[in-house]
Amino acid sequence: MSAVDAELVEQIRTELAVRAQQPTAAAVAQVLRDRNRLVGGNSVLSIVENLKQDHGFGVLSSLVETPGVTDVLVNGPDQVYIDRGSGLERTAVKFESEKHVRRFAQRLAASAGR
């Protein structure tokens, strides 16, 4: 995606978090309509796919689903740790950037009603 598209995706991501909505084609299309932005169906689907990559636990999904993992700690984009009850272990999981970590934290807080 181009820089303009990435900015639009970020705006939609934020708006969906505020609305506490899932990243569906209908929800994305509604946000675009509310912002008077016209894009084709393929662009809407592309935006949805981009948003879904960060949906749920995103890059942390594999860690959260690992049997025995009791905690996941994110201390920065390349500092992700797990605890299996015997202390922290650094993982190979990485976020794209500080902004990605911040966005993830905001989304989790929004989904908890904060």
Side-chain angles (χ1 to χ4, degrees):
M1 289 192 154
S2 70
V4 173
D5 291 335
E7 183 177 320
L8 178 60
V9 169
E10 185 60 32
Q11 291 170 359
I12 293 169
R13 177 184 279 106
T14 301
E15 184 61 31
L16 290 177
V18 168
R19 295 179 186 192
Q21 291 182 311
Q22 302 294 320
T24 65
V28 168
Q30 184 61 52
V31 171
L32 290 167
R33 278 192 296 276
D34 293 348
R35 292 175 174 267
N36 294 317
R37 295 290 302 257
L38 296 175
V39 300
N42 287 337
S43 293
V44 170
L45 294 176
S46 176
I47 292 168
V48 169
E49 285 306 311
N50 188 291
L51 293 171
K52 283 186 175 183
Q53 289 175 0
D54 281 340
H55 191 66
F57 288 108
V59 298
L60 301 180
S61 292
S62 64
L63 301 177
V64 172
E65 295 167 1
T66 301
V69 170
T70 59
D71 293 297
V72 177
L73 171 73
V74 178
N75 200 34
D78 59 350
Q79 297 176 19
V80 179
Y81 301 85
I82 59 170
D83 189 351
R84 301 174 203 246
S86 59
L88 294 178
E89 305 169 35
R90 193 167 190 164
T91 71
V93 172
K94 296 181 191 256
F95 285 83
E96 296 170 10
S97 63
E98 288 285 341
K99 187 175 183 177
H100 188 201
V101 174
R102 199 172 313 109
R103 195 171 62 226
F104 177 77
Q106 289 170 337
R107 187 171 43 77
L108 285 181
S111 70
R114 307 255 176 188

